[in-house]
Amino acid sequence: APGKPEWPPHPARLFSGLVAVADGADDDAALDWLERLPPPLIDASAAVSASRRSTFVITNDFVKASQIAKTGGRHMEFSGRIASGQRTWARGAARHPQVVFSGEGGRSEHLVALDRMARSLPYLGRSTTPVVASLVDEQPGDSVDLGADTWVPADDGEAEVTDPHPGFRAA
């Protein structure tokens, strides 16, 4: 919902981060395999606080830029790029910072590439959300106990969570 922080982080956000660090055909094949998997379970603590952050966003708005040029903008302004206005984002702080995405993908030759890409992720979404990520190959019966809530994929669920799907990387 607008005005609320995205929590838990959406699998599509993680996937998009992996796409951003992908390098080569092996990584592309791993991402194509990953986008065909069913949506994962997400173990994450409940968000405990929410706040809003505002900033000005630079866009390529040539109409406004030409108006600045006519009115004698400062020498540091590039006429093709201006601050289009203030934008506000919601953000949240979690009780526990660890999030685990787990799924039923079976063994795959793509796990090494996915782990390498995950370890290369500098952040998810915005550069103000740094992340340390890795692939953990849990065996059946192993569990991750974060004292976390578990989000289970359901068509009639309460939270809207965006998942990658076949063709997501290409789009």
Side-chain angles (χ1 to χ4, degrees), residues 9 21 24 30 32 36 43 46 52 69-70 76 80 88 91-92 94 100 106-107 109 119 130 140-141 149 158-159 163:
V21 298
D32 290 344
R36 290 189 304 270
D43 290 312
R52 298 175 66 74
K70 288 178 186 175
M76 294 299 291
T88 302
R91 60 184 179 179
V100 176
R107 301 307 246 160
E109 68 276 11
R119 291 175 186 274
D149 295 325
E158 294 177 18
D163 292 305

Side-chain angles (χ1 to χ4, degrees), residues 55-62 64-65 68 74 77-87:
T55 188
F56 285 90
V57 178
I58 302 295
T59 63
N60 292 322
D61 187 339
F62 290 101
K64 290 182 182 175
I68 288 175
R74 293 187 298 266
E77 293 174 354
F78 172 59
S79 62
R81 297 190 68 176
I82 63 168
S84 65
Q86 190 172 13
R87 302 252 176 105

